[in-house]
Amino acid sequence: MRLAPVVLCLGVLFAAPLVEAATTTYSVRNRRIEPNQPLAVALQEAGLPPEQVSVVISALEGVFDFRKSRVGDQFRLVLREGELDFFDYRQSAVDEWQVRRDGDRFVGSKRSIEVEKQVAVVSLEVSSSLYEAALAAGEDPLIGMVLADVFAWDIDFYRDVRRGDRARAVVEKFLSKGRFLRYGEVLAASYQGESVGQKRVFRYELPDGKPSFFQEDGASARKAFLKSPLKYAHVTSTFGSRFHPVLQYVKAHNGVDYAASVGTPVWAVADGTVTLAANTGAGGNTVCLRHSNGFETCYLHLSRFGQGVRAGARVSQKQVIALSGNTGRSTGPHLHYALKRNGHYVNPLNQNFPRTEPLPKSLLADFRAKVAPLAQQLDAVSVAQASAGD
């Protein structure tokens, strides 16, 4: 038999009644934004009553831009006794919004997330592709895109990468609670490749505040033309199937064919003016650009044109002007790239474009002082690797 507890007060015994604690019922609903589904509709379809949907939307006004709601965004509803208690909306590890109950009203806010910046050395050794090399090193494959952007004037990451190539970078990493979020600026990088030799560049901020990349002697890393018309994307396949050997040619058809899946970003190899952006029949969707010094480039078989790309428009080097495709007389998805000089076709693969202006002599001392520790960090990786191989 269970006895009721007693409370002694002023020498008198009182029997304390047995009180069962009231239970509160909570329910949690996790959902994602579906195609063509505004947030209000998503909340209704998650079972939230219309008046409470209005509460959430009102609380987020001025806090969250509903136009930036994307397919796949996650949200969570916490209901207490069937009534809204908490709403959480997440786009990424650092982009999260909340609606919380505050008395009789609800308050919306963007969650404050602490982000830490570290400077780290990343070392990659290619066995099949740059993408796989990043995974093997425990890095996010996006490092491949970061390095490709830095070396875009000297290395064609669709054609020049070979087994055994090595890449190193001193790069910023942003983390939240120890979890990697994204890469920041590349401060220094080196690439040792069978087909391209040794490349080594350093980031340096010019007096006007604009950063640029320079070689160790102060020569610019930039050239008037990029090495490749394809912005490096996630190339995951191995050497054998990554680039079709039959399509890897320069022939009488006056150009180079790159095997690339439909939708691969195509960027302008140099600053220029669009002279053509239209379907040309056999060439499919085509963009042609006029550059300085009598050069012209054309990009064929595109799936679609970039935003604002039309005849007469100005484009900048590295601007995405189109997406690769399989339009026109094409036997498979690829990009046909052609280069003319003074009206005559030339081989894009054997051009040696000059570099842009080097650092002024007045800045060399400051440049060398700032890149010296970065060079030591790159070299330290080399020493570590050499020791590991002994």
Side-chain angles (χ1 to χ4, degrees):
M1 176 182 297
R2 186 179 178 188
L3 299 176
V6 294
V7 178
L8 181 63
C9 181
L10 299 177
V12 182
L13 287 174
F14 292 89
L18 284 172
V19 179
E20 293 187 3
T23 58
T24 302
T25 303
Y26 288 87
S27 64
V28 179
R29 301 173 188 175
N30 294 298
R31 299 288 190 274
R32 291 181 181 272
I33 299 295
E34 302 294 335
N36 302 315
Q37 187 184 53
L39 177 57
V41 174
L43 290 170
Q44 289 180 24
E45 294 185 357
L48 197 64
E51 63 275 11
Q52 294 187 28
V53 170
S54 298
V55 166
V56 172
I57 298 301
S58 297
L60 288 174
E61 286 181 352
V63 177
F64 174 68
D65 187 348
F66 298 100
R67 295 172 299 179
K68 295 183 179 180
S69 181
R70 302 190 299 248
V71 173
D73 287 356
Q74 304 172 53
F75 67 89
R76 178 179 55 168
L77 292 168
V78 178
L79 305 178
R80 182 174 61 184
E81 301 294 344
E83 296 290 325
L84 178 67
D85 189 63
F86 175 77
F87 170 79
D88 182 33
Y89 189 94
R90 189 172 187 269
Q91 279 191 332
S92 71
V94 293
D95 292 308
E96 190 171 330
W97 292 263
Q98 299 175 336
V99 174
R100 289 182 175 276
R101 182 187 291 273
D102 182 13
D104 294 331
R105 65 192 188 102
F106 287 86
V107 179
S109 63
K110 183 170 184 180
R111 184 181 174 191
S112 178
I113 298 176
E114 291 186 8
V115 177
E116 175 190 3
K117 183 175 75 173
Q118 295 181 354
V119 175
V121 179
V122 172
S123 182
L124 309 179
E125 182 175 356
V126 177
S127 59
S128 60
S129 71
L130 202 60
Y131 181 93
E132 296 293 343
L135 291 177
E139 296 290 338
D140 190 301
L142 284 174
I143 190 63
M145 299 179 69
V146 174
L147 288 171
D149 193 62
V150 170
F151 288 112
W153 296 275
D154 287 303
I155 303 174
D156 181 341
F157 280 87
Y158 281 85
R159 306 176 63 101
D160 294 340
V161 177
R162 300 289 185 271
R163 187 184 307 276
D165 287 2
R166 293 177 181 270
R168 304 183 189 97
V170 181
V171 61
E172 296 173 342
K173 286 184 175 182
F174 290 91
L175 305 97
S176 177
K177 297 181 180 179
R179 182 175 59 178
F180 173 82
L181 299 177
R182 63 180 177 86
Y183 295 104
E185 299 291 348
V186 173
L187 307 179
S190 66
Y191 193 95
Q192 177 68 49
E194 177 187 329
S195 66
V196 299
Q198 173 76 27
K199 307 296 179 184
R200 192 171 165 101
V201 297
F202 300 86
R203 186 178 187 271
Y204 179 71
E205 191 170 294
L206 298 168
D208 62 4
K210 293 181 180 178
S212 191
F213 283 94
F214 297 89
Q215 298 178 351
E216 213 155 356
D217 62 357
S220 177
R222 298 174 180 267
K223 295 181 179 180
F225 281 69
L226 301 176
K227 189 75 179 292
S228 169
L230 288 172
K231 179 179 174 65
Y232 179 81
H234 287 202
V235 180
T236 59
S237 55
T238 59
F239 292 111
S241 60
R242 178 173 64 94
F243 195 86
H244 197 294
V246 176
L247 295 176
Q248 191 173 359
Y249 58 74
V250 179
K251 292 181 63 176
H253 78 334
N254 301 317
V256 180
D257 283 341
Y258 284 84
S261 58
V262 174
T264 302
V266 178
W267 57 10
V269 296
D271 295 344
T273 302
V274 179
T275 57
L276 175 70
N279 190 293
T280 59
N285 293 330
T286 300
V287 170
C288 290
L289 307 177
R290 183 176 64 248
H291 311 283
S292 60
N293 300 322
F295 283 101
E296 181 183 4
T297 55
C298 288
Y299 315 76
L300 286 67
H301 307 300
L302 307 168
S303 60
R304 70 177 199 177
F305 305 125
Q307 185 175 4
V309 175
R310 57 185 179 276
R314 290 282 300 169
V315 296
S316 303
Q317 187 181 65
K318 289 189 176 183
Q319 178 179 334
V320 174
I321 56 173
L323 301 180
S324 66
N326 191 28
T327 58
R329 193 160 62 231
S330 172
T331 57
H334 74 286
L335 170 71
H336 178 81
Y337 170 58
L339 175 67
K340 283 183 179 181
R341 185 172 190 177
N342 297 323
H344 301 285
Y345 286 104
V346 295
N347 184 350
L349 302 181
N350 62 12
Q351 301 300 305
N352 188 18
F353 293 103
R355 299 190 181 277
T356 55
E357 290 296 315
L359 272 175
K361 291 183 179 180
S362 60
L363 295 176
L364 281 177
D366 182 65
F367 170 74
R368 287 170 179 152
K370 288 178 177 176
V371 304
L374 299 174
Q376 289 179 352
Q377 287 178 274
L378 288 179
D379 293 336
V381 177
S382 300
V383 172
Q385 288 179 333
S387 299
D390 291 341

